[in-house]
């Protein structure tokens, strides 16, 4: 029964701590680097800066999508070619009479 009481106490203490937490942008000197570079607070951008940011982000996303589609198409074509030619390749490897036709007199 003491395990349950300990869990209840932990939950109560965690609930008390929630109200004391600060939001990400309320902290002084908040800087974080990640996958896409430094995290910036976009709330401080001017309207034209934010519009330019959105425009650049849209271009980057469009370029990445195009690259992904081209890579998929190339992979698909290569896969189809390999699968299409696989029976011919296997036939050449495992068909023993082929060698008799190629080298006559043996």
């Amino acid at each position: 029964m003491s395990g349950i009481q300990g869990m209840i106490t932990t939950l109560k203490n965690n609930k008390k701590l929630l109200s004391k937490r600060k939001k990400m942008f309320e902290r002084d000197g908040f800087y974080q680097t990640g996958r896409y570079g430094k995290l910036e607070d976009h709330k401080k951008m001017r309207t034209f800066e934010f519009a330019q940011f959105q425009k650049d982000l849209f271009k980057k996303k469009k370029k990445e999508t195009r690259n992904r589609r081209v890579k998929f198409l190339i992979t698909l074509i290569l896969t189809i070619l390999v699968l299409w030619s696989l029976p011919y390749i296997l036939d050449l490897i495992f068909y023993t009479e082929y060698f008799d036709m190629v080298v006559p007199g043996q």
Side-chain angles (χ1 to χ4, degrees), residues 75-88:
T75 306
L76 183 66
I77 290 171
L78 288 175
T79 305
I80 290 172
L81 286 174
V82 167
L83 290 176
W84 179 73
S85 64
L86 191 63
Y88 299 109

Side-chain angles (χ1 to χ4, degrees), residues 1 4 8 18 25 28 39 43 46 48 50 52 56 58 64 73 77 81:
M1 200 63 163
I4 296 174
I8 292 171
L18 282 177
F25 293 111
D28 292 332
L39 181 64
K43 295 178 185 176
R46 294 187 179 111
F48 67 92
F50 187 67
Q52 184 64 35
D56 294 340
F58 179 73
E64 288 175 358
L73 185 64
I77 290 171
L81 286 174

Side-chain angles (χ1 to χ4, degrees), residues 55-69:
K55 192 176 183 181
D56 294 340
L57 195 62
F58 179 73
K59 284 182 183 179
K60 185 177 178 182
K61 197 174 195 181
K62 189 175 180 180
K63 186 176 179 180
E64 288 175 358
T65 303
R66 183 179 179 274
N67 287 341
R68 195 178 315 119
R69 286 181 180 170

